[in-house]
Amino acid sequence: MSRKVSTPILSAILSLVVGVGGTQAHALTLNEYLESVKTQNLGYKGSSEQSEGAELLSREADLFFTPQLFAEANIGHNGKPNTPQMYDRVRSQSYLLGISQQFSFGLQSRLYYSMGRSEFVNASNAINPPQYWDASPQLELTMPLWGGGFGRTAQANQEATRQASLAEKWNTEGQSQNILIGAEATYWKVAAWQDVVRIQEQALTAAQNIYDYVARKKRMNLGETADVVQAQALVEARTLELQIAKNESQEAQRAFNKYLNKEANAPVAALEPVDYKALESITVPAARPGSRADVQATEAQLAAAKAQSALALERNRPTLNVVGQYALNGRDEELNEALKEAGQTEQDTAFIGLRFNMPLNFGATSDAKSGALKKERAAEMNRDYALYVQEQDWTNLTRNIMDARDNMKILSRLEQAQKTKLETERARLKQGRTTTYQVLLFEQDYSQAAVSKVKSAVNILALQSQLKLYQASPEGGK
């Protein structure tokens, strides 16, 4: 009977243990961590939001050649004396509604309908009728032929506006990328330094075992005091190295929490283990997959500088504009009748003419043009230098990754060799065939090899994360 009762209880306990163990076994993946950084890190959110805002703001350039609706309304009076005295004052109303558009080839146009009412108060018989409506559909055209001719100013304005926003977009996107790359490197440092702490704990345990062994032999008058002193020194050295490893691990954890905007000493979840074996066979892209955000920013800055240079040149040239106006006119005491008359061509108005303007300070004009060209050349040199630096950085990065990978292979073999050597020497010590000092040296060699391998892995993972700088949309992951 008791067995029947205890079996379900035991099953429940086992289920609970398995459930708790399964929960604890889940490790926070790199992608999960980076997604948390994206949603919680205020620096990333700010730069990402600014990048998106700058990209949307670049659409402002599309408004340059977009039709614009405009309207005006005025109501008032004019009591200015008139000679001969024909009325006391004029009450007036005016309304205007139309569409204007700047075309990319330079033409500026306004098509609108204007209506106005005039009332002459206490008008003499010479003014007949004393009140009336004016109605007039009108078309105004302006075409620049010299300075800003054929749309050069309008096109340069559009390009300067667009590229300035795109340059800001790329700069802030680069900031977002750097935050994610730093977070990724920190993730792997936290994961790897847990291994460093474990290695140093094992080294301390081994040193303590050696100390206990030689101390026991000394108490039995079978060992030397020098062996005990050496073992005690090793224990202290390993204690210090373990403390340093813990301090560095805690520092990495604080950086880990900083990327999440958490309290510095908040607990860190279990992370993915470092796959040391996989790092020995990593591959490097044969060609650079894309340009870094800072380089693309210099491309946009160059385009903006060229547009600004063109604007400066056009602003300081003489202007010669062809202007034209055509209007139909209607006037009557009744608004409807005035509108009907405005549809007839017998009372039309037409003008065409030229407008010319030229700055007379020729020295300042020349300097302004020269300055604009210098700024353009400077932006071009900055772009060329950024491209050069990018190629150099890419070459260094890929070479460093390959070198680190090759070093990793050697360190893995070295660690295994040191481990085998240490285990062999420990066995020989128990058999009395070697000295404690020799074991101490081998113990130190093995710990250094193991720690060096972990640090090499951290270096590789940090270098690998920088490859994402050369992608248009970096994504987290191995």
Side-chain angles (χ1 to χ4, degrees):
M1 177 65 70
S2 62
R3 185 174 183 179
K4 292 180 180 179
V5 173
S6 61
T7 300
I9 297 175
L10 180 61
S11 299
I13 293 175
L14 289 175
S15 299
L16 180 60
V17 171
V18 171
V20 172
T23 302
Q24 292 177 342
H26 172 72
L28 178 68
T29 67
L30 175 61
N31 283 340
E32 290 172 341
Y33 175 62
L34 293 182
E35 287 301 318
S36 297
V37 171
K38 290 178 182 179
T39 57
Q40 298 178 35
N41 186 283
L42 296 180
Y44 177 87
K45 291 171 68 177
S47 58
S48 179
E49 189 84 3
Q50 187 174 352
S51 177
E52 293 174 6
E55 184 172 18
L56 291 173
L57 188 59
S58 69
R59 289 292 313 279
E60 184 181 11
D62 296 335
L63 299 177
F64 277 85
F65 304 127
T66 299
Q68 306 285 329
L69 177 68
F70 64 92
E72 296 178 13
N74 292 288
I75 298 177
H77 68 271
N78 182 3
K80 183 179 179 180
N82 55 96
T83 304
Q85 186 70 29
M86 303 178 69
Y87 55 86
D88 291 342
R89 66 174 57 201
V90 180
R91 295 193 182 103
S92 62
Q93 304 174 35
S94 64
Y95 307 95
L96 185 148
L97 178 65
I99 294 176
S100 66
Q101 184 169 3
Q102 165 78 63
F103 292 92
S104 60
F105 56 88
L107 181 65
Q108 303 167 25
S109 63
R110 279 166 47 101
L111 177 63
Y112 56 94
Y113 206 108
S114 66
M115 296 180 297
R117 184 176 185 275
S118 299
E119 178 185 354
F120 294 85
V121 180
N122 296 327
S124 67
N125 293 332
I127 299 178
N128 187 32
Q131 55 185 26
Y132 53 84
W133 283 91
D134 284 313
S136 176
Q138 299 187 40
L139 174 64
E140 297 176 1
L141 301 174
T142 302
M143 183 67 182
L145 301 179
W146 197 343
F150 305 102
R152 290 192 299 268
T153 296
Q155 294 167 17
N157 261 318
Q158 183 189 46
E159 185 69 2
T161 300
R162 189 189 308 279
Q163 296 300 332
S165 294
L166 290 179
E168 182 183 1
K169 168 194 178 294
W170 287 117
N171 279 323
T172 52
E173 186 168 311
Q175 294 172 13
S176 300
Q177 291 178 4
N178 286 326
I179 290 174
L180 290 181
I181 288 170
E184 182 172 339
T186 299
Y187 176 96
W188 290 121
K189 186 174 183 180
V190 172
W193 244 251
Q194 292 173 351
D195 293 339
V196 172
V197 171
R198 176 181 53 78
I199 291 169
Q200 298 294 8
E201 287 175 342
Q202 292 174 352
L204 177 59
T205 300
Q208 187 65 49
N209 289 338
I210 292 175
Y211 173 78
D212 294 341
Y213 174 72
V214 297
R216 185 168 62 252
K217 288 185 64 177
K218 177 65 176 63
R219 286 194 299 270
M220 297 170 62
N221 293 322
L222 299 176
E224 299 292 334
T225 301
D227 291 341
V228 176
V229 174
Q230 288 176 347
Q232 178 64 38
L234 179 65
V235 169
E236 296 300 333
R238 291 291 178 264
T239 301
L240 176 60
E241 291 171 356
L242 175 59
Q243 185 61 46
I244 292 174
K246 287 182 176 179
N247 292 342
E248 292 178 342
S249 177
Q250 291 171 359
E251 181 183 5
Q253 291 179 22
R254 290 193 293 271
F256 183 95
N257 287 326
K258 181 179 179 181
Y259 281 105
L260 296 175
N261 272 66
K262 287 186 176 180
E263 195 274 325
N265 296 315
V268 173
L271 307 182
E272 289 182 288
V274 178
D275 191 344
Y276 297 99
K277 193 65 179 177
L279 293 178
E280 298 178 22
S281 58
I282 60 173
T283 58
V284 178
R288 177 170 50 81
S291 291
R292 294 188 314 214
D294 63 311
V295 175
Q296 296 190 65
T298 62
E299 294 278 7
Q301 288 165 356
L302 173 58
K306 287 182 176 179
Q308 291 290 351
S309 176
L311 281 173
L313 292 175
E314 296 302 325
R315 280 197 308 266
N316 293 286
R317 282 178 174 160
T319 60
L320 178 63
N321 297 340
V322 177
V323 296
Q325 181 178 10
Y326 184 78
L328 299 177
N329 304 297
R331 174 177 289 184
D332 196 274
E333 295 182 62
E334 299 295 331
L335 176 60
N336 290 337
E337 293 300 321
L339 293 173
K340 290 179 182 179
E341 288 187 19
Q344 302 173 10
T345 60
E346 290 81 1
Q347 303 178 126
D348 63 340
T349 301
F351 292 101
I352 188 168
L354 296 174
R355 291 176 184 165
F356 177 77
N357 182 67
M358 183 178 69
L360 296 179
N361 191 334
F362 302 113
T365 300
S366 177
D367 289 345
K369 292 178 180 179
S370 298
L373 292 174
K374 284 181 177 293
K375 291 185 67 175
E376 181 180 343
R377 287 196 296 270
E380 187 169 2
M381 287 187 283
N382 289 337
R383 189 278 313 272
D384 292 343
Y385 181 70
L387 289 172
Y388 166 76
V389 170
Q390 176 177 245
E391 290 302 324
Q392 295 298 311
D393 290 347
W394 172 257
T395 300
N396 288 335
L397 177 60
T398 53
R399 184 70 260 174
N400 289 339
I401 291 176
M402 290 187 288
D403 291 345
R405 177 195 61 194
D406 295 341
N407 293 343
M408 186 73 182
K409 295 177 183 178
I410 298 173
L411 286 169
S412 294
R413 295 197 300 267
L414 176 62
E415 180 196 26
Q416 186 57 46
Q418 295 288 11
K419 182 179 181 182
T420 301
K421 183 179 74 172
L422 175 60
E423 291 172 347
T424 302
E425 202 65 15
R426 283 175 178 168
R428 294 182 70 233
L429 178 64
K430 292 184 179 180
Q431 296 170 3
R433 297 169 57 193
T434 189
T435 64
T436 303
Y437 181 72
Q438 193 70 15
V439 174
L440 298 181
L441 291 178
F442 289 0
E443 173 71 28
Q444 185 176 11
D445 291 343
Y446 171 66
S447 297
Q448 289 178 346
V451 171
S452 295
K453 187 184 82 167
V454 174
K455 291 183 177 181
S456 178
V458 173
N459 182 43
I460 293 175
L461 290 165
L463 290 171
Q464 244 189 335
S465 67
Q466 294 181 32
L467 291 174
K468 296 174 183 177
L469 286 172
Y470 300 88
Q471 300 173 7
S473 300
E475 298 293 336
K478 295 181 182 177

